[in-house]
């Protein structure tokens, strides 16, 4: 009902606006933008940042998922200009609807200077593990928090907000880890880089809860690389391929929080490997930025 009301409001708002092009950002905006573009005879661009009908939040909601799939099947085949964030997602849409989607990855702008941050994450000499992004189910944050029980001289910093924020904070309190796990909240994109560069390890531990996560190339992975921060990612094809191609981190194959904690310790104490990753991160940052126009896709 929330999305129904939102699209009704958006539809009438778009009718009152002058525009040469209308851009629909993900499936939850498409009904209003699609109808408005038809009435106004305006060019429509569909920009799919994820495989919407495969998000974990819809995994056990069959009726809701069917509704979104019906909307998708009715509208996507009639859109001439569309894009998504990875080749497997583009291929999935091609197989499903016979459409061609351009691939435009979530690459950040090149960061050549690193200003002194307004806020310092490091309190003493501890190592910093960083997660930045939405706090939703399936992001591997529960196990990351539990893994902090098995780490040494390390803190976990979580930047962002989301549906499971309350549960994550409660888990942290119940495990007595409030001194080891920090929740910073939402940071503006303009200031986020100043936080990211302070980390010793960036994590992207999405679980394989559907095709959306399996084929994802999260913004945060590219942000970590741009900030010169080694990356630990899930054993999922797209992020794994990226990290191994540029050799800027490693892949998580652990199954328990104790194993993940041991992996955190191993990574953060392997100075030889970190130095090698840091050199590779400089090369990767120069390639994986918006200015390259996604030429390495």
């Amino acid at each position: 009902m929330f999305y129904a009301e939102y699209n009704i409001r958006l539809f009438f708002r778009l009718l009152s606006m002058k525009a040469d092009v209308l851009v629909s950002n993900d499936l939850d905006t498409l009904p209003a933008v699609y109808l408005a573009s038809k009435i106004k005879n305006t060019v429509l661009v569909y920009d799919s940042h994820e495989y919407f009908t495969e998000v974990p939040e819809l995994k056990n909601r069959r009726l809701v998922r069917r509704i979104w799939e019906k909307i998708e099947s009715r509208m996507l085949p009639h859109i001439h200009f569309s894009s998504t964030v990875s080749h497997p997602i583009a291929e999935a849409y091609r197989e499903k609807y016979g459409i061609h989607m351009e691939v435009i990855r979530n690459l950040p702008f090149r960061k050549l200077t690193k200003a002194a941050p307004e806020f310092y994450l490091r309190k003493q000499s501890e190592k910093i593990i960083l997660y930045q992004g939405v706090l939703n189910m399936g992001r591997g944050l529960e196990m990351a928090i539990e893994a902090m029980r098995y780490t040494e001289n390390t803190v976990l910093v979580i930047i962002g907000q989301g549906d499971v924020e309350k549960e994550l904070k409660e888990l942290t309190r119940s495990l007595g880890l409030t001194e080891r796990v920090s929740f910073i909240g939402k940071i503006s994109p303009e200031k986020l880089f100043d936080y990211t560069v302070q980390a010793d390890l960036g994590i992207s531990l999405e679980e394989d809860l559907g095709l959306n996560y399996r084929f994802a190339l999260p913004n945060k992975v590219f942000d970590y690389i741009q900030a010169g921060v080694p990356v630990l990612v899930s054993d999922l094809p797209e992020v794994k391929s990226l990290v191994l191609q540029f050799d800027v981190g490693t892949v998580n194959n652990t199954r328990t929080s104790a194993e993940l904690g041991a992996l955190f310790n191993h990574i953060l104490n392997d100075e030889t490997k970190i130095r090698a990753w840091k050199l590779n991160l400089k090369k990767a940052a120069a390639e994986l930025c918006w200015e390259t126009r996604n030429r390495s896709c």
Side-chain angles (χ1 to χ4, degrees):
M1 294 303 296
F2 166 82
Y3 285 112
E5 179 184 350
Y6 168 73
N7 273 276
I8 291 170
R9 289 173 177 267
L10 178 59
F11 171 71
F12 286 108
R13 176 76 175 113
L14 291 173
L15 288 183
S16 67
M17 297 176 65
K18 292 183 178 180
D20 297 309
V21 178
L22 294 179
V23 180
S24 171
N25 194 227
D26 285 330
L27 189 59
D28 49 6
T29 71
L30 185 57
V33 182
Y34 180 86
L35 292 174
S37 71
K38 290 295 184 183
I39 292 173
K40 295 168 69 69
N41 194 27
T42 304
V43 174
L44 168 61
V45 176
Y46 180 57
D47 185 18
S48 180
H49 286 184
E50 58 187 355
Y51 197 164
F52 190 91
T53 57
E54 290 286 335
V55 297
E57 290 80 3
L58 296 181
K59 190 176 181 65
N60 297 315
R61 303 177 67 192
R62 294 183 180 179
L63 177 60
V64 176
R65 182 176 176 178
R66 278 200 215 104
I67 292 172
W68 284 118
E69 286 179 332
K70 195 71 173 177
I71 293 171
E72 189 178 67
S73 66
R74 287 289 184 88
M75 298 180 181
L76 254 61
H78 304 289
I79 297 174
H80 299 294
F81 306 102
S82 59
S83 63
T84 190
V85 294
S86 74
H87 286 287
I89 294 179
E91 179 62 18
Y93 278 121
R94 188 193 66 77
E95 291 182 357
K96 198 171 185 179
Y97 301 118
I99 63 174
H100 171 73
M101 280 189 163
E102 297 291 341
V103 174
I104 304 176
R105 295 183 296 178
N106 292 314
L107 302 182
F109 287 107
R110 185 76 169 101
K111 301 287 188 181
L112 297 175
T113 59
K114 297 178 174 62
E118 298 178 4
F119 177 83
Y120 287 91
L121 300 176
R122 203 181 314 274
K123 304 304 180 185
Q124 298 179 16
S125 61
E126 70 273 9
K127 298 292 179 68
I128 297 173
I129 300 171
L130 176 68
Y131 172 89
Q132 61 183 51
V134 180
L135 310 186
N136 282 350
M137 65 180 294
R139 302 293 177 113
L141 290 170
E142 294 84 357
M143 191 163 81
I145 291 171
E146 292 172 0
M148 295 308 296
R149 294 179 294 174
Y150 307 98
T151 60
E152 303 166 357
N153 193 36
T154 304
V155 296
L156 172 63
V157 176
I158 297 174
I159 299 177
Q161 296 176 333
D163 297 339
V164 300
E165 182 177 356
K166 182 178 179 181
E167 290 83 350
L168 294 175
K169 289 180 177 179
E170 179 55 38
L171 175 63
T172 300
R173 285 192 292 268
S174 68
L175 295 175
L177 292 172
T178 53
E179 297 297 319
R180 306 282 308 283
V181 180
S182 299
F183 292 85
I184 304 298
K186 193 173 182 179
I187 302 295
S188 69
E190 295 76 21
K191 294 183 177 181
L192 181 59
F193 183 77
D194 294 340
Y195 288 76
T196 310
V197 295
Q198 300 180 56
D200 297 289
L201 178 68
I203 60 173
S204 182
L205 302 177
E206 281 74 14
E207 302 166 29
D208 192 359
L209 298 181
L211 296 181
N212 182 55
Y213 277 3
R214 189 178 306 161
F215 296 153
L217 271 175
N219 301 47
K220 57 182 171 286
V221 173
F222 294 112
D223 289 341
Y224 296 148
I225 292 171
Q226 201 59 225
V229 176
V231 185
L232 176 64
V233 299
S234 303
D235 190 8
L236 299 175
E238 289 298 289
V239 287
K240 175 182 179 179
S241 175
L242 180 78
V243 168
L244 296 183
Q245 176 189 349
F246 289 93
D247 192 16
V248 292
T250 190
V251 178
N252 174 44
N253 292 300
T254 65
R255 296 182 179 275
T256 68
S257 58
E259 291 174 338
L260 181 58
L263 181 59
F264 283 157
N265 289 329
H266 176 73
I267 292 171
L268 293 171
N269 290 311
D270 190 344
E271 295 182 2
T272 301
K273 196 62 178 177
I274 288 176
R275 281 196 296 270
W277 285 339
K278 289 283 188 179
L279 289 174
N280 294 334
L281 281 160
K282 292 180 180 180
K283 300 174 185 177
E287 179 68 24
L288 298 172
C289 60
W290 186 254
E291 289 85 344
T292 65
R293 300 170 63 89
N294 287 264
R295 68 171 183 266
S296 62
C297 289

